[in-house]
Amino acid sequence: MPLSKLPTLTQYLIDQRRRFPQASGELNALILDVSIACKAIARTVAFGSLADIASAGSVNVQGEEQKPLDVASNEMLMRQTEWSGHLAGMASEEMDSPYQIPGEYPRGKYLLVFDPLDGSSNIDVNVSVGTIFSILRAPQDVIDSGRDVTDEDFFQPGSTQVAAGYALYGPTTMLVLTVGNGVVGFTLDPNLGEYKLTHPNIQVPEDTKEFAINSSNSRFWEAPVKRYVDECLAGKTGPRGKDFNMRWIASMVAEAHRILMRGGVFMYPRDTKEPTKAGRLRLLYEACPIGFIMEQAGGRASTGREPILGVPPNALHQRIGLVFGSRNEVERIERYHAEPQHNDSPIPLFSDRSLFRD
Ligand code: AHG
Ligand code: MN
Ligand code: MN
């Protein structure tokens, strides 16, 4: 198709809405507002050190340093979506509690959850960052009463998401989206300022030879993860019989994008580094939306023990172990978690290949 004929995001959304003749168009309007905020964030990110934003130097509820761009991106998303009447409330990595829609605006039926800037430790080094978002339906009593939202209103498993997506601010800005009917990717045309549908049907290859994990944490990994990575590292001469490649960008959104484009497996598993935390990444605004996208693209997303999309949240900023990507690899990692563990013991007789193995 000639470039000028590629459908825009608006055209794609109108097309999708035609599948549901009763739909009011509010979801589309909300997604478009999010996409506009992402354009604004993309521009700000592109200005780098020249961006005219206040330096925040604050710390968020999770004890993490907030970069000025984290705070500015959060503001841009809120300002672009709060007025529309489509939202009952929002939650973000950068806000301790849910954000209440100000009294001057009508309240709507959706909840918006986001990580305004994922991978923000990469900003200073000019490496790709992105915005991740998830759209949930507000509980019926919130819609009926228009009351303030509570943390609990957001505690819905990922399987209930209505839409999820991310914008990636790399050499090009891309928006990747699912409304539960596959995964599509748009490239922001810098001339027109329009998102164009360049990737109409994104599919994650089932198999891969590429994995991503922060191996500086290896001494904290659980046995199934150690085993999986060891087998990858053993390459052709090991049980997998093929060489693997490794990548680590430290921007989960960029890793997710690479995996959607060419396959791979990403792991930020539960480990023993901080035993009080179930993982590094956050369930509601990192794992759930990326999990929804992966599953919609034919990949898989898991804690290692159960599907991510089935996990019932119990805190707004809940952390979780996360494994996603090419289906056969994720299933293999799940199998390793399900199998009885033999390789905890340093004694060879009791190790994986011992005589005592079942
Ligand atoms: P955020 O910038 O939103 O806090 O998230 C960063 C996350 C994720 O994008 C990435 O995979 C991970 O943190 C990087 O962790 P390491 O510092 O262990 O590499
Ligand atoms: Mn993040
Ligand atoms: Mn972030």
Side-chain angles (χ1 to χ4, degrees):
M1 190 180 289
L3 285 179
S4 59
K5 290 263 165 42
L6 293 176
T8 63
L9 174 60
T10 311
Q11 284 173 296
Y12 171 79
L13 289 172
I14 290 172
D15 235 28
Q16 291 301 306
R17 189 183 150 204
R18 289 189 179 133
R19 295 190 298 130
F20 305 97
Q22 311 311 324
S24 63
E26 287 173 84
L27 177 66
N28 283 1
L30 175 57
I31 292 170
L32 286 172
D33 280 337
V34 171
S35 79
I36 292 170
C38 292
K39 281 188 213 174
I41 298 170
R43 289 306 295 156
T44 312
V45 167
F47 274 84
S49 304
L50 302 173
D52 184 18
I53 46 175
S55 58
S58 42
V59 168
N60 68 16
V61 65
Q62 299 160 69
E64 294 169 339
E65 184 207 343
Q66 283 176 318
K67 307 255 179 193
L69 266 176
D70 284 321
V71 178
S73 306
N74 194 55
E75 284 289 317
M76 287 185 246
L77 276 156
M78 288 196 303
R79 297 292 92 81
Q80 192 59 44
T81 54
E82 66 183 351
W83 59 274
S84 64
H86 307 314
L87 285 180
M90 358 183 168
S92 154
E93 177 186 337
E94 306 304 341
M95 297 186 285
D96 306 5
S97 318
Y99 178 73
Q100 308 299 345
I101 302 302
E104 71 239 59
Y105 303 125
R107 291 184 174 181
K109 61 183 178 197
Y110 292 110
L111 299 172
L112 178 64
V113 192
F114 49 88
D115 176 352
L117 213 53
D118 179 61
S120 52
S121 70
N122 281 324
I123 290 168
D124 296 341
V125 293
N126 200 9
V127 167
S128 295
V129 290
T131 297
I132 307 172
F133 64 92
S134 160
I135 297 174
L136 299 163
R137 188 171 264 280
Q140 195 58 44
D141 78 292
V142 173
I143 302 173
D144 293 342
S145 65
R147 68 164 168 78
D148 281 3
V149 286
T150 62
D151 289 18
E152 288 72 21
D153 294 327
F154 292 83
F155 296 172
Q156 305 180 34
S159 56
T160 64
Q161 290 172 100
V162 180
Y166 64 80
L168 183 65
Y169 315 120
T172 56
T173 292
M174 286 196 66
L175 186 86
V176 171
L177 178 71
T178 181
V179 290
N181 186 28
V183 178
V184 288
F186 301 84
T187 302
L188 183 63
D189 179 337
N191 288 329
L192 297 177
E194 280 281 5
Y195 293 101
K196 293 291 196 75
L197 182 61
T198 46
H199 298 68
N201 178 22
I202 299 177
Q203 292 284 330
V204 180
E206 285 188 350
D207 292 298
T208 183
K209 292 165 122 184
E210 206 159 65
F211 69 100
I213 192 163
N214 182 346
S215 61
S216 70
N217 292 326
S218 60
R219 68 188 184 283
F220 305 113
W221 292 341
E222 296 178 333
V225 174
K226 275 193 185 120
R227 172 182 171 194
Y228 178 78
V229 173
D230 281 349
E231 290 181 2
C232 290
L233 294 176
K236 268 202 182 89
T237 54
R240 300 298 305 274
K242 60 180 184 181
D243 287 339
F244 279 75
N245 215 350
M246 203 200 82
R247 290 284 182 274
W248 188 250
I249 309 174
S251 264
M252 192 264 285
V253 63
E255 320 260 11
H257 191 70
R258 184 190 61 246
I259 288 171
L260 285 170
M261 293 296 110
R262 69 176 192 210
V265 63
F266 171 96
M267 288 164 279
Y268 218 125
R270 186 176 89 183
D271 61 26
T272 58
K273 192 174 185 180
E274 292 183 75
T276 56
K277 294 179 182 164
R280 162 86 167 81
L281 298 173
R282 278 60 55 105
L283 177 59
L284 278 171
Y285 42 82
E286 292 176 320
C288 284
I290 296 297
F292 188 22
I293 292 167
M294 286 295 150
E295 300 265 343
Q296 282 290 315
R300 192 169 170 81
S302 170
T303 64
R305 293 170 171 80
E306 59 183 322
I308 277 288
L309 298 185
V311 177
N314 55 34
L316 219 46
H317 301 285
Q318 180 179 351
R319 293 176 190 260
I320 193 102
L322 178 60
V323 177
F324 65 75
S326 295
R327 175 164 287 274
N328 289 337
E329 293 302 300
V330 177
E331 284 175 356
R332 174 183 288 271
I333 295 165
E334 288 177 314
R335 267 198 320 274
Y336 289 4
H337 279 87
E339 281 176 17
Q341 306 300 316
H342 295 276
N343 47 353
D344 281 333
S345 167
I347 307 161
L349 274 180
F350 295 94
S351 79
D352 253 3
R353 296 176 184 201
S354 88
L355 294 170
F356 298 93
R357 200 165 174 212
D358 304 331

